[in-house]
Amino acid sequence: QVQVVESGGGLVQPGGSLRLSCAASGSIFNTNAMGWYRQAPGKERELVATITDGGSTHYADSVKGRFTISRDNAKNTVYLQMNSLKPEDTAVYYCNVGSYYSGTYYAGLRYWGQGTQVTVSS
């Protein structure tokens, strides 16, 4: 059984910060990376950031310079540090365990978290 659990969402003012956490457990095979997605009301799910087993990181243009993805291998946990938050960052954020090859992240269809709400508003 595989469990992927996000936490850390909430309400924050523009310019503020939040840190999201994602803990993965169980038997996960044929993956080499983890990623954060987000989905706002009426919009498609968007890939925000990824990190490979080797520590390589990639970011969507909309969050470069503001968000940082990192990992703690001892805890099997990844984090998304979100700084300088904007109202357009408002969304449900989802953690995924997948694969990264040749510049593309492939989401693991069976390895999604339940999502955590991030709301940026004054």
Side-chain angles (χ1 to χ4, degrees):
Q1 185 177 11
V2 175
Q3 297 288 331
V4 182
V5 181
E6 305 100 330
S7 62
L11 175 64
V12 65
Q13 293 185 349
S17 298
L18 286 172
R19 188 184 70 163
L20 307 183
S21 300
C22 173
S25 62
S27 298
I28 302 175
F29 301 97
N30 299 316
T31 63
N32 69 343
M34 298 182 70
W36 286 96
Y37 287 79
R38 66 186 181 187
Q39 187 166 25
K43 297 184 179 179
E44 296 183 352
R45 190 167 296 189
E46 173 190 24
L47 181 61
V48 175
T50 63
I51 185 166
T52 69
D53 290 350
S56 297
T57 59
H58 302 84
Y59 300 92
D61 288 342
S62 59
V63 306
K64 285 182 179 178
R66 300 188 298 119
F67 291 10
T68 302
I69 187 170
S70 61
R71 64 181 183 179
D72 185 336
N73 290 333
K75 298 180 179 179
N76 201 25
T77 300
V78 297
Y79 305 93
L80 187 67
Q81 179 65 46
M82 309 164 66
N83 298 326
S84 302
L85 283 162
K86 305 175 181 179
E88 51 262 45
D89 296 318
T90 296
V92 177
Y93 284 71
Y94 298 91
C95 181
N96 178 261
V97 185
S99 303
Y100 191 93
Y101 295 108
S102 300
T104 302
Y105 182 79
Y106 300 88
L109 299 182
R110 302 178 66 185
Y111 307 138
W112 288 97
Q114 83 288 349
T116 185
Q117 176 71 50
V118 172
T119 302
V120 184
S121 177
S122 60

